[in-house]
Each structure stands twice: as C-alpha cells, then as structure tokens.
Amino acid sequence: MGMVLPVKLKKGKDIPSASTAMVFGLVLGLLQTLFLVFGAKILLLVMGVKPNSPMMKPALKYLTLRSMGAPAVLLSLAMQGIFRGFKDTKTPLYATVVGDVTNIILDPIFIFVLRLGVSGAAIAHVLSQYLITLILLCQLVKQVKLLPFHIKDLQFGRFLKNGVMLMGRVIAVTFCVTLSASMAARLGPTPMAAFQICLQVWLTSSLLADGLAVAGQAILACAFAEKDYEKVAAVAVRVLQMSFVMGMGLAVVVGVGLHFGSGIFSKDAAVLRLISIGVVFVAVTQPINSLAFVCDGVNFGSSDFAYTAYSMILVGGASIASIFLLSKSNGFIGIWVALTIYMVLRAFAGIWRMVTGTGPWRFLRTPL
C-alpha cells in the first residue's frame, strides 16, 4: 500500500515539493521491492502459508513478480498527490482507467494464451502500473520542473515530518488487512479463497468513496488555507452526507451482485457457501466503509496528519487484538466480525475529531 502526501500547489515551472514527492516515491518503491523480493518466503510463512502447502509455490512467484511494480505504484501515487494539489482529478482518473483496462486485456493473454498462470497475472499488473506511471509523468513534466538545480531545494524535512506520521498510519492499516488474510490462510485453502474474493470486492467497492474523499480533501485544503471556515463546515457536512448515501447504494449493489454473481469467481461449492456468509458483512459494512474513507479525506484536507496517524495506530491495535481473538474462536465469521469492528472504529475516530471540535476543527465551537 502506498502513501500519498496531499499538497496544495499552484502550477508553475519550479515546485520543490513536487520533486520531493517524486524522490520519496521512487526511494520507497525501490526499498519495498528489495524487501519483498528477499523476504517473500518469510512473509508468506508469517501469513500462514505452510512450506508444504500447494499455495506456497504460486504465491511466491506472484509476490516476487508483483514486487517489481512497487516503484511504479509509489511513483504514481506520489504524482496523483501532486495532481490533487492542482485540483486535477481527471488526469489521474484517465491514467488509472487506461492502466486498469490494459491489465484486464493482458490478464487473459498472459494467463491463458501464453499459459503463464499466476506469473502472467503478476506480469500484467506490473506492466499496467508502469503504464499509469508513464502517462502521469508525461503529463506532469508539461506543468512543472521536477528536478531543481540544488538538492537543498528539496523539502525533505517537511515531508519527513508528515511522512513518518502517515507511514505509521499506513502500516497500521496494512497490518490489519494483512493479518486478517493470514488468519484466513491458516483455516485452509477453501476459507482463504472465499475470504480473498469477499475481501477484494469489499475493498474495491469501498474505495469508490475515495473519489469523493479526494474532491472533499482538495476543496477543504483551499478553504482552510483561506480561513473560510463557513465553507469548510459546509463542505465537510456535505461530503459526509454523500458518503453515507453512496454507502447505502453500494450495500444494495454489492450485496445483490455478490449473492447472485459469486459463481463468476468460483465453481467450488464449499467456496460459494463461505462467500454467501461473507457477503452479509461485505454489504452491511459499505456505509461504514464509505464514511471511514471520506473522513480520512476530510482530515487530510485539514492537514490533521498527527491525529489521523495516532488514532489509526490505536484503532489498529484494538482491531489486531479482535482479529486474533475472534478468528481463533469463530473462524471465518470471526475474521469478518473483527474487520467490521475495525471499520467501525476507523469511522468513529474520523468523525470524533469533528464532533468534538478539537484540533483544526476548533472553530466549530464558536459562532461562524
């Protein structure tokens, strides 16, 4: 999972913060690749994949190949953050759609025509990520000078301050989801297959709310910079209302779609039976997930990085404990109950800051 540093920018020839974001993205991407390549087998063992498991060999191939795309993923995320600073959400959307469509086209070619199997899926994904990065880079160089003449112009101090806090948050989020997958893997191949299908639908549908979060984040950042608190309050309320409505709609679409369309993902009766259980949690949590994602965008728009980091670490700690306890006692259902608790706590933490009128939201306790 990548990290995006939201920045407020004006289009120009020389923007040090843009260059700094690119440098951080590239360095972190290379480090992530090295970590995943040399630690792939250890990571899979930690995830619960046993050495003699039939999942070990294909999982090892897939993880190793996918890791090659880490620099592209983090570079593209950094550039998406830069475009957000320009209030340009169309360019990242265009690049992402082109990359995803390319991935969809290449998947069956590499997997079935060239008979590369799991390796083909990983290669298709990596190529699509580099295509997204290339498109974004070509558009970005038309607007800014990415490399300043002096290294001292790079704003490493500023980025490290906020970056370390956000990195802690990303680690907490990633660990919760990874641990839940690990617990599912320990239950066996069938529960793992059903869990991964439900998880991918759960995350994909929930991330649709991220588009609303990005829009709210950009508008709020400008409103805070201009100290237009009336606009801040109006935008925050509106995006939260819209996120809940979106979540309700997603609950119906995902619930009905996964209930009747689960056969697209698997023909195994045991897997389908577990999916029918997981779909309840996937659908019911959609409004909560939408609120959680949009709350993140709202708090990022207020530059409240410290709170979002510390609150997520606390939420992550409580969620990790619930994943361990509930997966041991209730298996597949327990994992989904724990993930529901995780998203409820995440949404609560995001809303709490605004409701209590603390931090950058102190103005809510005084008449506008």
Side-chain angles (χ1 to χ4, degrees), residues 14-30:
D14 191 0
I15 304 177
S17 57
S19 299
T20 309
M22 296 286 288
V23 171
F24 267 97
L26 179 60
V27 172
L28 290 175
L30 292 172

Side-chain angles (χ1 to χ4, degrees), residues 26-93:
L26 179 60
V27 172
L28 290 175
L30 292 172
L31 290 175
Q32 187 175 2
T33 296
L34 292 173
F35 176 75
L36 291 175
V37 168
F38 292 105
K41 190 167 185 179
I42 297 175
L43 288 172
L44 290 173
L45 291 172
V46 172
M47 285 286 293
V49 182
K50 297 178 181 179
N52 58 349
S53 171
M55 294 187 291
M56 175 57 79
K57 188 176 180 179
L60 192 60
K61 284 184 179 179
Y62 185 79
L63 182 57
T64 303
L65 288 171
R66 272 289 295 269
S67 67
M68 300 301 173
V73 172
L74 270 75
L75 270 174
S76 67
L77 288 173
M79 286 188 283
Q80 287 177 44
I82 295 169
F83 280 108
R84 289 180 186 183
F86 291 143
K87 292 187 181 180
D88 179 2
T89 56
K90 292 182 180 179
T91 301
L93 176 61

Side-chain angles (χ1 to χ4, degrees), residues 13-292:
K13 292 185 178 180
D14 191 0
I15 304 177
S17 57
S19 299
T20 309
M22 296 286 288
V23 171
F24 267 97
L26 179 60
V27 172
L28 290 175
L30 292 172
L31 290 175
Q32 187 175 2
T33 296
L34 292 173
F35 176 75
L36 291 175
V37 168
F38 292 105
K41 190 167 185 179
I42 297 175
L43 288 172
L44 290 173
L45 291 172
V46 172
M47 285 286 293
V49 182
K50 297 178 181 179
N52 58 349
S53 171
M55 294 187 291
M56 175 57 79
K57 188 176 180 179
L60 192 60
K61 284 184 179 179
Y62 185 79
L63 182 57
T64 303
L65 288 171
R66 272 289 295 269
S67 67
M68 300 301 173
V73 172
L74 270 75
L75 270 174
S76 67
L77 288 173
M79 286 188 283
Q80 287 177 44
I82 295 169
F83 280 108
R84 289 180 186 183
F86 291 143
K87 292 187 181 180
D88 179 2
T89 56
K90 292 182 180 179
T91 301
L93 176 61
Y94 167 76
T96 303
V97 169
V98 171
D100 289 346
V101 170
T102 301
N103 193 4
I104 293 171
I105 295 173
L106 292 179
D107 267 337
I109 295 175
F110 287 160
I111 296 172
F112 302 113
V113 178
L114 300 180
R115 298 184 178 182
L116 296 176
V118 172
S119 298
I123 294 171
H125 178 82
V126 170
L127 291 176
S128 68
Q129 290 301 318
Y130 277 100
L131 177 60
I132 292 173
T133 301
L134 180 61
I135 293 172
L136 290 173
L137 185 60
C138 289
Q139 293 300 314
L140 190 60
V141 295
K142 297 177 182 178
Q143 302 182 40
V144 299
K145 184 191 299 182
L146 292 176
L147 295 176
F149 290 107
H150 302 290
I151 194 70
K152 64 181 181 181
D153 291 333
L154 295 176
Q155 302 171 351
F156 287 122
R158 175 189 171 195
F159 271 68
L160 282 173
K161 180 181 177 181
N162 292 327
V164 169
M165 288 186 290
L166 288 178
M167 184 64 76
R169 178 185 177 280
V170 169
I171 291 172
V173 171
T174 304
F175 194 79
C176 285
V177 177
T178 303
L179 179 62
S180 64
S182 175
M183 293 295 108
R186 295 171 194 275
L187 297 175
T190 299
M192 180 59 176
F195 177 79
Q196 282 298 331
I197 291 170
C198 290
L199 181 67
Q200 293 306 314
V201 174
W202 188 66
L203 292 176
T204 301
S205 58
S206 298
L207 282 172
L208 291 175
D210 194 46
L212 181 59
V214 170
Q217 175 186 325
I219 297 171
L220 285 169
C222 290
F224 267 108
E226 297 167 358
K227 297 185 179 180
D228 187 350
Y229 297 126
E230 185 174 350
K231 183 177 181 180
V232 168
V235 171
V237 171
R238 180 57 59 88
V239 294
L240 288 174
Q241 291 173 340
M242 292 175 67
S243 70
F244 184 74
V245 173
M246 178 185 292
M248 294 297 291
L250 285 172
V252 175
V253 172
V254 171
V256 174
L258 194 56
H259 177 74
F260 291 104
S262 57
I264 297 174
F265 302 102
S266 176
K267 300 299 181 183
D268 188 285
V271 172
L272 293 176
R273 183 181 63 82
L274 288 176
I275 290 177
S276 67
I277 297 173
V279 68
V280 176
F281 295 96
V282 174
V284 169
T285 55
Q286 289 304 312
I288 302 169
N289 295 2
S290 294
L291 280 172

